[in-house]
Amino acid sequence: MFLIPDAVVRFYHRMASPPHFYTFTEQCMPWLVGVFVILVSAGLVGGLYLAPADYQQGDSYRIIYIHVPSAWMSLFIYIVMAVAGAIGLVWRIKLAEVVLVSSAPIGAAFTFIALVTGSLWGKPMWGTWWVWDARLTSELVLLFLYLGVMGLYGAMDDKRVASKAVAILALVGVVNIPIIHYSVEWWSSLHQGPTVITKTGKPAMHSSMLIPLLLMALAFKVYYVIALMQRARTELLSRERNSQWVKNKIAMGAKL
Amino acid sequence: MSVQEFFAMGGYGFYVWTSYGLTLVVLAANVVIPIRQRRQFLRQQALKQKR
């Protein structure tokens, strides 16, 4: 661990303590919301108003500004979930388990959004709401993996045992992530290939369209942190209801 | 560009605005639900402590 600076280690240890996490997330919430509002406003003005219409797809392509960031988040959150699962399994850190279970509904939401907006984009451009090709099917499997994690966790009363079970499920499901990512290259598909991270290393998009897309992607990342913290706070309180710090919080009349 | 033109989205208004509207609803719900649950939990636990 000599490679990691002391300050980082200390931050990591403190964040793993539930009462500290609870206070810390409360303090940084207004800042995160502020950053989110700025990013999302800039991204929406850029994407819906300033960026020109596509020369082939007209204005329908503007769905890209939520479809692509949501799809990226659906993969990103799954990886976070699996990493948290591994940390939870190895070191039995409560906060890692809470991050895992709190991420699942947010990941499911982004996967759902990616699927539905893809469908709403596919109808006018491909002429169909849905095709059973590799990209769409593997993304649907991802939704079921998220729902599986949520269902399994909800079905078990002992939350420490449930956390172990969902961590294993999350880790096994990681196989699906590269399949989704490379599906458009491995199999022929109606879905277009990578446009931002291309093989040539240069985005196949003009900067007037690319910059709002990257702003929206950042905004969604910040949103994930906000939503994760909100869910994790609720989950922590409920799990730690018998511990002294939660009792103190309630005795002091905490409302949120 | 007029306001009508903006909302028409070159004839794709239905697809574009349904996408954005649905995203707004789903993302908002994902933050509101845990906050409500927490508020309710704290209220219940406070009542329990009083007894």
Side-chain angles (χ1 to χ4, degrees), chain A residues 27-130:
Chain A
Q27 285 164 349
C28 54
M29 196 48 66
W31 299 95
L32 286 169
V33 173
V35 171
F36 171 74
V37 169
I38 292 167
L39 286 172
V40 92
S41 318
L44 287 177
V45 170
L48 291 173
Y49 185 72
L50 297 177
D54 185 72
Y55 83 106
Q56 282 179 323
Q57 304 195 8
D59 284 311
S60 76
Y61 96 95
R62 292 185 199 278
I63 294 173
I64 201 174
Y65 296 110
I66 42 178
H67 175 74
V68 168
S70 300
W72 283 343
M73 288 312 293
S74 72
L75 302 183
F76 176 77
I77 295 174
Y78 198 90
I79 293 166
V80 171
M81 223 171 67
V83 170
I87 294 174
L89 277 179
V90 176
W91 288 292
R92 307 302 289 144
I93 299 173
K94 275 183 209 158
L95 204 72
E97 298 174 356
V98 169
V99 165
L100 194 179
V101 295
S102 304
S103 289
I106 312 166
F110 276 121
T111 313
F112 176 75
I113 291 169
L115 286 166
V116 176
T117 56
S119 202
L120 282 159
W121 193 359
K123 184 62 189 167
M125 290 300 115
W126 300 346
T128 177
W129 299 102
W130 185 263

Side-chain angles (χ1 to χ4, degrees), chain A residues 116-198:
Chain A
V116 176
T117 56
S119 202
L120 282 159
W121 193 359
K123 184 62 189 167
M125 290 300 115
W126 300 346
T128 177
W129 299 102
W130 185 263
V131 281
W132 289 102
D133 82 346
R135 174 53 71 81
L136 281 70
T137 310
S138 55
E139 184 76 8
L140 186 65
V141 169
L142 184 68
L143 179 63
F144 292 144
L145 281 169
Y146 277 123
L147 296 179
V149 167
M150 290 162 69
L152 186 59
Y153 186 73
M156 294 165 85
D157 284 331
D158 184 338
K159 293 307 176 197
R160 296 303 310 259
V161 180
S163 301
K164 241 185 195 173
V166 292
I168 291 164
L169 175 59
L171 282 167
V172 172
V174 166
V175 195
N176 193 33
I177 300 297
I179 296 179
I180 298 175
H181 183 74
Y182 291 109
S183 57
V184 283
E185 290 171 24
W186 291 345
W187 293 281
S188 72
S189 170
L190 264 185
H191 196 286
Q192 71 184 70
T195 313
V196 179
I197 307 151
T198 59

Side-chain angles (χ1 to χ4, degrees), chain A residues 62 109 223 230-231 234 247, chain B residues 9 20 27 30 34 38 49:
Chain A
R62 292 185 199 278
Y223 167 85
Q230 292 298 351
R231 285 208 179 264
T234 307
K247 285 181 180 163
Chain B
M9 280 284 154
Y20 278 83
L27 293 189
N30 247 297
R38 192 161 67 242
Q49 264 190 8

